[in-house]
Amino acid sequence: MEMFASAIIFAAAVALVSANNAPTYPSDVSSTAGNSYESYPPFNGAKVPQNGKPSNSSYPDDGCGDYSVRFKGDGYCYPLLKKGPCENVLFWITVEPYTYEGICTPRLCGRGKVFVGRDGLCHDIYDTKECRGGRRLYYSAYGDPICDCPVGQYPFPSEEDDCVPIFTQGPCPTNQVVSVSSSGKLECAPNTCQLVDRYQDFLLQLVPVKQSRISNDDEDDEYGYCYALGTRGPCSPSELFGYNIFSSQGECVDMDDPRTPYFSSPEENAILDDVFDRAANEPIKTKNNRSNTFFRAQRLSRKRRQGPNTFGIFQQPSRIPTSLLNPCQSGGRNGNNFKCANPLVPSRPVRDVSQPVSPAFGCRPNDFLQATGQCGSNRGPASCGPSYQFIPATNQCRPIRF
């Protein structure tokens, strides 16, 4: 049997996730929405896949915006890769790849880390050994571990090139910068934001902004300014200046708003760090050896019982915006671009890269933990995320739907 259903042991306050509630995928998914999944490039199951170009498929608009999804349980919109209405901090909201609804799925790793199936460990998002070309680790909206460029950067001039910060010169000629055309295409365009003495930093991503976009003052509509992405710029004290990749304009993003993909609070961070640090070091405990996936931190869960309303709106956010959700690309909102982090609020974090650690879940001996939170007897599917299907004949992962 290549895959076992999930059965995750929690504390008394958390319900057991039975095999009947685990995600199951049909064996025949060769054609959906008029597209054969065999027409899309596969990736080797041992590698973290690179986020590819969005497909031309049509995806439904659930009315929840770029980085939130309508939850299957109550019909409300919740931000992705956050606890939301899930009952425990070891679950978060992802997109179900068949219905495109939000569901609660296991969160295998702690803050700033992504599960890598190749070795079954949680890797730092900035682990340079896992991604190439300046890319870093993310999760897609479906919960797939993927490699993509840092927020505010894109491969340029081709899809396979290294990441380049938009609104910097990059490979463009002198006095030009990598810009976004009206059709959403990356191109070299004249630089309308020249650096001045106090901005001698060629990595600053300076964006021209009409004053009316910020102040709603029509009288200043023709008077433009340039602001650096990821700074306060023209925004209020709780906001940072970002770039909306779909509308191609600067936008203020409220860092106090828990609905954004960048929101993070010291209180929530402390809880997550406490749970995942202890979970990774807790021995696996089984119950009559019947379960296929085991939560490692049972003693901690008994001490810290988190109800569904534990996480409210925390008032003191982190000022260094990072996102585990992959950033949106220009173009169609399909595939891994269906739900993604937008507007773009870049950051240049300065910190050491931490070593890989064990996930908060484990499997029985000789079984392998997968990105879905399930256990299987074959190492091959371990890197196949929830929106991929493992093809034993080729030992590769292929998209289920897009």
Side-chain angles (χ1 to χ4, degrees), residues 297-332:
Q298 295 176 62
R299 287 200 299 264
L300 177 63
S301 291
R302 283 193 289 268
K303 294 178 181 178
R304 186 189 296 280
R305 297 186 179 182
Q306 301 297 339
N309 297 318
T310 297
F311 289 94
I313 298 178
F314 300 98
Q315 300 302 315
Q316 298 298 323
S318 168
R319 295 301 173 183
I320 302 177
T322 57
S323 174
L324 284 177
L325 179 65
N326 68 285
C328 295
Q329 304 177 23
S330 58

Side-chain angles (χ1 to χ4, degrees), residues 73-316:
D74 59 17
Y76 290 103
C77 297
Y78 295 96
L80 287 157
L81 304 187
K82 302 289 178 70
K83 175 181 175 293
C86 303
E87 294 187 59
N88 188 279
V89 293
L90 288 171
F91 279 96
W92 59 7
I93 301 293
T94 60
V95 174
E96 207 285 323
Y98 283 103
T99 66
Y100 305 113
E101 295 176 299
I103 57 175
C104 290
T105 56
R107 177 174 182 164
L108 304 185
C109 300
R111 192 164 56 98
K113 290 182 171 57
V114 169
F115 178 77
V116 175
R118 174 181 57 79
D119 57 13
L121 298 176
C122 297
H123 286 249
D124 193 304
I125 58 175
Y126 298 111
D127 189 337
T128 57
K129 295 180 181 179
E130 297 303 321
C131 302
R132 60 179 179 82
R135 293 166 178 81
R136 49 151 282 205
L137 288 167
Y138 289 95
Y139 286 106
S140 75
Y142 307 96
D144 304 316
I146 59 174
C147 290
D148 205 347
C149 289
V151 175
Q153 300 185 32
Y154 293 98
F156 184 79
S158 73
E159 295 289 335
E160 299 301 320
D161 282 322
D162 292 353
C163 300
V164 177
I166 55 175
F167 303 110
T168 67
Q169 181 177 342
C172 297
T174 303
N175 296 324
Q176 293 192 17
V177 295
V178 180
S179 187
V180 184
S181 70
S182 57
S183 63
K185 182 180 178 180
L186 294 177
E187 62 180 10
C188 291
N191 183 14
T192 58
C193 296
Q194 299 296 329
L195 294 176
V196 294
D197 290 341
R198 64 191 181 92
Y199 275 154
Q200 292 304 317
D201 184 345
F202 291 96
L203 290 179
L204 276 181
Q205 298 170 267
L206 296 174
V207 179
V209 177
K210 288 184 178 181
Q211 185 66 15
S212 61
R213 290 181 181 171
I214 304 298
S215 65
N216 295 320
D217 186 351
D218 293 335
E219 295 181 0
D220 291 332
D221 189 58
E222 300 303 321
Y223 188 58
Y225 296 88
C226 289
Y227 299 102
L229 294 180
T231 68
R232 178 177 172 184
C235 307
S236 69
S238 66
E239 298 175 327
L240 291 178
F241 185 55
Y243 185 76
N244 191 309
I245 193 65
F246 292 128
S247 63
S248 301
Q249 65 179 14
E251 186 174 314
C252 292
V253 182
D254 189 352
M255 296 293 111
D256 283 335
D257 188 344
R259 296 170 296 178
T260 70
Y262 305 105
F263 177 79
S264 180
S265 75
E267 182 177 355
E268 181 178 1
N269 292 343
I271 294 173
L272 289 172
D273 291 346
D274 189 17
V275 169
F276 279 94
D277 287 349
R278 298 195 187 191
N281 296 317
E282 185 76 9
I284 296 176
K285 295 185 176 183
T286 68
K287 184 177 181 180
N288 298 327
N289 205 31
R290 293 177 181 174
S291 295
N292 297 317
T293 309
F294 308 107
F295 175 38
R296 295 176 182 268
Q298 295 176 62
R299 287 200 299 264
L300 177 63
S301 291
R302 283 193 289 268
K303 294 178 181 178
R304 186 189 296 280
R305 297 186 179 182
Q306 301 297 339
N309 297 318
T310 297
F311 289 94
I313 298 178
F314 300 98
Q315 300 302 315
Q316 298 298 323

Side-chain angles (χ1 to χ4, degrees), residues 356-376:
V357 298
S358 298
F361 298 81
C363 299
R364 293 177 298 185
N366 302 320
D367 284 347
F368 302 96
L369 182 65
Q370 303 174 14
T372 58
Q374 298 174 320
C375 292

